[in-house]
Amino acid sequence: MFLFITILTSLIAIEHLGIMGLEMFANDETKAKAFDMPLDFVRLPNTKVALANQGIYNGMLGVLIIAVNCLLSGAALKTVLALLMLYIFIVALYGTFTATKKIFFLQGLPALITLLIILIF
């Protein structure tokens, strides 16, 4: 089961690194489509800065999950991964209510399922 949890959390980390790539480096059309935002809004300089800033957070969250999987073990690993999955779920809920409902299915649900698996096993 430990291997399964490592795979799940690593996939979530990769997802966040991918989101970082979209937020920081994708062209405006791709960002608008990916985040359900009007293209004119995405092209605003302040929006570009805000998305890039958000990208840093998503990227560091992905790096943190990978680092935790590599550096911790046992109860410490389980506790930190559970907290990170809870954090992702809470942030996804906020995004679901304030941005787009698809955030729940793309980020919140995988984190919730992983959190439950961590807590059960």
Side-chain angles (χ1 to χ4, degrees):
M1 190 52 67
F2 171 74
L3 178 62
F4 185 58
I5 290 170
T6 302
I7 291 169
L8 287 177
T9 55
S10 296
L11 289 172
I12 290 172
I14 292 167
E15 176 186 29
H16 280 83
L17 291 170
I19 293 168
M20 176 200 72
L22 282 171
E23 291 170 334
M24 295 183 74
F25 306 115
N27 64 45
D28 293 342
E29 292 78 15
T30 303
K31 288 179 189 177
K33 184 177 178 184
F35 302 117
D36 292 335
M37 295 180 180
L39 183 57
D40 291 340
F41 179 71
V42 172
R43 288 185 172 148
L44 295 172
N46 289 341
T47 303
K48 290 178 182 285
V49 170
L51 282 171
N53 192 337
Q54 190 170 314
I56 291 288
Y57 283 94
N58 275 304
M60 291 309 298
L61 184 57
V63 168
L64 179 61
I65 293 168
I66 292 168
V68 164
N69 273 328
C70 293
L71 299 174
L72 298 179
S73 63
L77 175 62
K78 184 177 178 179
T79 301
V80 173
L81 286 176
L83 289 171
L84 288 169
M85 295 305 115
L86 179 63
Y87 170 79
I88 292 169
F89 179 70
I90 291 169
V91 171
L93 277 181
Y94 182 81
T96 298
F97 291 115
T98 60
T100 178
K101 305 247 182 292
K102 72 180 183 181
I103 291 174
F104 178 78
F105 298 103
L106 295 175
Q107 294 179 7
L109 195 56
L112 178 61
I113 291 167
T114 303
L115 172 62
L116 292 174
I117 290 171
I118 291 168
L119 294 176
I120 291 170
F121 299 100

